[in-house]
Structure formats: C-alpha cells, structure tokens
Amino acid sequence: MLDISLPVSTPPGATAKHLHHVLEACNQQEWPFRHWLLTQVLPADAAKAVHGLPWQPPAIDDTQGRRETHNASRRFFNAEARQQFAVAADVAEALQHPETVGLLSRRCGVALKGSFLRIEYCQDTAGFWLEPHTDIGAKLFTMLIYLSTEADADQWGTDIYADPAKPPVGRANAAFNRGLIFVPGTDTWHGFEPRTIRGVRRTLIVNYVKPEWRSRHELAYPDQPVG
C-alpha cells in the first residue's frame, strides 16, 4: 500500500496548471475506441487530500451492475462539498477553469462550452461490478481518476470492450493517480468485470453534462455553465 500520510497543501491554482501539463502529455489510444491514458493526474497533495476525505464507503450489497441502483449513497463534489472541503473546491475550480475546458475541447475534439461540471467520488468495495455500457447521451465527456493505494489497485481499472457480448479487450491501469478519458459515444463500451477488491476502490468520475441534466444537486456549479 502506498504511503499517503504526508500533510497536504496545494497552492491556489496549482491543480489547474498541473492538470494542463498532464492533459498535454496524455497518451492517446485508438482501439477499440479513442481514449486517453494519464499519469499523475492531480498534484500529489491534492490526490492525497481526496483520498483522505472523511467519507465512508457506502454499505452496498449488490449494484446489479449499475451505479444508479444506489443513487441515495452517491457522493459528489457539489456546492455543499466545495464549501466543506478545500480539496473539493480546488479540484472543481481546476476543472471549471476556462483554460482547462478549452484544452479538453481541443484535445478530445468535443464542444464543452455551455455544459456543466459533475464530479462524483466513488468508493467501491467487495462485490462491486459494472455491466458493459456506454454513458448516457447527456454526458459529453468522461474522465476517471483512480485513487486507490492498495497493493493490487492497478488491477482495478475500467474494462473496455470492442463488443459488449465478449470479454474486455483492455483494462486501464488504476494505480494511484492514473486516469482514463473518453468521449461518450455509441461504441465506448466500458464496465468493471467482477473481481476481488481487497480494500476500497476510490475513483473520481468527471463529466461535463448537457444543460438539461436534471439532478442539479450533483453539479459542482449548478448555475454556472463552463465557458
């Protein structure tokens, strides 16, 4: 398990600057659909601070292969969390920043202006799995940041599929502070095959969503579209 016991103190604006460098250097893959692999996504102090948030993993018996099965227990870097936790505010500000949005739009070929930022903090435990799926049409962009420190956490990444009826053809490396980006489409099949989780699988899921997103309480800035 990684040592994340060091104190955390990320200077203002550092997360946005760090993220810009990471996005410029990310590794683009074309198969089975276009996606990007990232390393050291967040500044080290910010990544440690997210891991240290005082939110306990929800008690979930069976996801039935879908996150929405247990909507009531989901956590977000929303307006309340931004006020309560400095790291939630810092990460949200970095992803709301116009330069970040512009860089993502250019790098991934997707128009994000006018969309809304949604950041979910997932803590998955033994028994968790996700069926192969494509993200709903209201999601314009998806980035996953893996923040587990367990010894075998690198095997807890998102599975990707060429055909949802067949085994996955790839798996993202989920070592601490690595990431995966894709632009949701009809071919972006992904999920999480059932496997052993000893500990907590921690993931930040970043989406930019269309204005008609109904669950406004999930949004980081429910009244402020990105520019």
Side-chain angles (χ1 to χ4, degrees):
M1 182 177 292
L2 295 178
D3 179 8
I4 58 165
S5 60
L6 298 175
V8 295
S9 178
T10 303
T15 298
K17 292 179 181 178
H18 176 95
L19 185 58
H20 297 169
H21 289 301
V22 171
L23 293 172
E24 290 284 8
C26 65
N27 181 12
Q28 181 173 315
Q29 303 286 314
E30 300 294 335
W31 190 81
F33 52 82
R34 182 168 294 178
H35 60 280
W36 294 262
L37 302 173
L38 306 88
T39 59
Q40 302 301 315
V41 185
L42 299 175
D45 283 357
K48 294 172 187 176
V50 174
H51 186 283
L53 286 170
W55 288 340
Q56 295 302 309
I60 295 177
D61 293 328
D62 184 5
T63 64
Q64 300 177 30
R66 299 181 299 276
R67 288 202 180 277
E68 58 267 28
T69 304
H70 297 276
N71 276 341
S73 64
R74 299 171 79 169
R75 296 279 194 174
F76 300 90
F77 284 12
N78 54 16
E80 180 181 357
R82 288 193 297 106
Q83 292 179 352
Q84 190 173 4
F85 302 110
V87 69
D90 179 52
V91 172
E93 287 169 7
L95 291 162
Q96 182 80 4
H97 196 288
E99 289 186 18
T100 306
V101 176
L103 177 57
L104 288 172
S105 295
R106 294 189 299 273
R107 190 75 172 86
C108 301
V110 57
L112 298 176
K113 185 175 182 179
S115 64
F116 288 80
L117 175 62
R118 177 181 182 269
I119 307 171
E120 181 173 6
Y121 182 44
C122 302
Q123 299 179 89
D124 305 316
T125 51
F128 170 79
W129 66 285
L130 287 175
E131 63 185 1
H133 63 286
T134 57
D135 285 349
I136 60 175
K139 293 182 179 179
L140 299 172
F141 169 95
T142 297
M143 175 166 62
L144 299 102
I145 306 172
Y146 305 107
L147 294 168
S148 298
T149 57
E150 285 78 359
D152 55 349
D154 61 328
Q155 297 300 313
W156 298 352
T158 303
D159 292 309
I160 60 176
Y161 304 79
D163 183 337
K166 296 180 179 180
V169 297
R171 175 177 296 170
N173 186 325
F176 187 76
N177 210 12
R178 287 181 176 260
L180 166 70
I181 287 174
F182 61 89
V183 176
T186 57
D187 64 341
T188 55
W189 292 100
H190 61 286
F192 188 84
E193 292 284 306
R195 53 190 178 271
T196 301
I197 298 177
R198 296 185 182 91
V200 182
R201 179 181 185 255
R202 305 173 192 272
T203 313
L204 279 184
I205 303 179
V206 178
N207 299 115
Y208 293 93
V209 301
K210 293 181 179 180
E212 58 264 31
W213 192 266
R214 292 183 179 180
S215 300
R216 309 302 292 182
H217 70 281
E218 298 177 356
L219 303 179
Y221 303 90
D223 300 318
Q224 299 178 39
V226 300

